[in-house]
Amino acid sequence: MTATDRRPAADDTYEPDPRRWRALSVTLVAGFMTLLDVSIVSVALPSMREALGTTPAGVQWVVSGYALTFGLVLVPAGRLGDAFGRRRIFLVALAGFVLASAAAGAAPNIESLVAARLVQGVAAGFLAPQNSALIQQLFRGAERGKAFGLFGATVGLSTATGPVVGGLLIGLFGEDLGWRAIFFVNVPIGVVALLLAARLLPKGRPSGTSTDIDVVGTLLLGVGAVLVLLPLVQAEAGGLNRLWFLFLLGAAALAAFVVWERRVVARGREPVFDVRLLTRTRGYGAGVAVGTVYFIGFSGIWLVFALYFQTGLGWTALHSGLSVMPFAVGAAGSAAVAGRLVSRFGRLLTVVGLSVVSTGLLLTAFLVATLDPGTLTWAVLPALFVAGLGGGFVISPNITLTLRDVPVRMAGAAGGGLQTSQRFGAALGSAVLPGLFYVVLGATEEDYPTAAGVAIGVAVLGAVGALVIAVPDWLRDRRNDRGDDPDDREPAGHHGHAALD
């Protein structure tokens, strides 16, 4: 019996919902839309700037505002789903996302567009943790791994195909209407998903869930998240130089949050995020760390590619997007397969995936820095495909292994915590890697291939760092399987439900 096969006693009462796979498909469509909107607008920023007559700093808020509010609400949204029902929160958030998308597409000026994107980000942040929590609620055993495999494929595919879809829409509708179509396309898809979700998602909330809301903890977490994220999402407008002191204030707010949450637990109340998940739930702390570090490189490289291909080589948005498509194809396929294998191989899949993605990206960095741009599209195809195959073996197994022993009643908050850490990593990577690209560009008298190669090469350090975290967790699981680890001989639930009850 492997570590991932052990299940807490609370799962013994599980009765499968006959509509669970159809319900999953609806949540994945909604999740795809919200994650796609993180990257899809990057190729349309020049069109927005010209159409709305705004500054680069103004149009940058179209990207950074969405990322900021998205990351801000993930944990509170997960807790609200746990407390009041994931279906209810999902439906309200999806309706809000559709309305905000329509408002963004019809925006007459940059102020209206940024406001719509802020609301859109909040709605997306409320949707995201319900996806992983519903998988925890609807599936058990090997089926849960398969479901998370599809979820991981959705995460990888949506992030990597954003530039492709954006390029296609701009190519079809032109510069003036193309950027509006990027938002309007969410409306019909979202309406259909909303109708199906109302019919298929399970009603009610998990048994034993408290409706007690930790207001102080929510505010402390929100303040800490804003203070840390704001300099990162504003990095392109000089946020790191101007707002660096916010990191210190944010760290203080997050420290106060941890102290407060421990106090809430000690009083027997329900915290917005039980920090004991990080120390007492097997695999959760390691999985959060792996996701955070991996997303630093995973998210930042797409901006580097867009800068190099469109600014340095003068490629169209569509050409640029299609050039990185092999990564998305490889990641989507391998993520679905990994979901079927995770119950058998556990953390080993993540270790193998991180090794493969590091190799593929390192080869890509070398080819970008040394090859003639005329042959680049076809030359990097196999390297990016290999990197994508590795990436697919990272995201979905890591989600499964991170959340495997989390009590279902806490699945929303735990999933929100995992995704928040990934948003922090993504924000950091999206700030640091393009910044490094410009630094090298200036130091080499605008040698674009070298600047892109260096930035992509540094992104490999994110995968390597995640690998350093994943290997000890894998070895620990192997010891548990053999019964060599003292923790394995402790009472059942020591790392699972009982430890948090």
Side-chain angles (χ1 to χ4, degrees), residues 15-22:
E15 293 183 7
D17 187 327
R19 301 177 299 178
R20 62 193 180 282
W21 290 106
R22 285 179 291 167

Side-chain angles (χ1 to χ4, degrees), residues 63-352:
V63 177
S64 59
Y66 183 87
L68 182 65
T69 53
F70 191 144
L72 174 64
V73 302
L74 282 167
V75 173
R79 172 71 190 109
L80 288 172
D82 291 340
F84 299 107
R86 286 136 196 174
R87 176 181 180 272
R88 180 182 300 172
I89 300 298
F90 185 95
L91 293 176
V92 172
L94 183 55
F97 185 81
V98 170
L99 292 174
S101 296
N109 51 52
I110 189 61
E111 291 80 13
S112 301
L113 178 57
V114 170
R117 285 288 282 175
L118 291 172
V119 175
Q120 197 183 31
V122 171
F126 268 82
L127 272 173
Q130 314 314 323
N131 283 334
S132 58
L134 284 165
I135 291 175
Q136 291 280 91
Q137 179 178 335
L138 291 169
F139 299 94
R140 297 292 187 276
E143 277 196 346
R144 182 180 285 177
K146 294 176 184 177
F148 273 127
L150 294 173
F151 180 68
T154 301
V155 173
L157 194 61
S158 60
T159 303
T161 57
V164 180
V165 177
L168 282 171
L169 290 173
I170 291 173
L172 285 172
F173 295 99
E175 294 287 336
D176 293 334
L177 295 178
W179 70 267
R180 296 186 183 275
I182 284 174
F183 302 115
F184 281 136
V185 74
N186 292 330
V187 176
I189 298 173
V191 169
V192 173
L194 186 63
L195 295 174
L196 292 174
R199 178 182 177 186
L200 296 172
L201 296 187
K203 297 180 180 180
R205 56 190 179 89
S207 59
T209 302
S210 170
T211 57
D212 182 24
I213 301 300
D214 175 17
V215 177
V216 174
T218 300
L219 292 175
L220 285 172
L221 179 60
V223 170
V226 168
L227 292 174
V228 172
L229 283 173
L230 188 58
L232 294 174
V233 300
Q234 281 289 287
E236 198 165 319
L240 292 177
N241 293 328
R242 291 184 294 104
L243 305 173
W244 62 267
F245 62 93
L246 294 184
F247 289 126
L248 301 177
L249 297 176
L254 293 176
F257 166 75
V258 172
V259 172
W260 175 262
E261 294 301 273
R262 291 185 181 279
R263 185 178 179 184
V264 169
V265 170
R267 291 180 172 181
R269 293 182 55 212
E270 192 73 34
V272 66
F273 178 80
D274 195 329
V275 294
R276 295 177 300 172
L277 283 167
L278 295 167
T279 57
R280 299 191 187 182
T281 300
R282 178 170 53 91
Y284 188 81
V288 167
V290 167
T292 303
V293 177
Y294 177 71
F295 266 74
I296 292 174
F298 175 72
S299 299
I301 58 171
W302 311 118
L303 290 174
V304 173
F305 278 126
L307 288 170
Y308 175 45
F309 291 154
Q310 294 178 242
T311 306
L313 303 183
W315 291 358
T316 64
L318 180 58
H319 187 180
S320 173
L322 289 174
S323 296
V324 298
M325 190 68 179
F327 187 102
V329 173
S334 61
V337 173
R340 299 175 181 272
L341 300 176
V342 67
S343 61
R344 179 178 178 185
F345 295 103
R347 183 59 76 184
L348 177 61
L349 286 184
T350 313
V351 171
V352 172

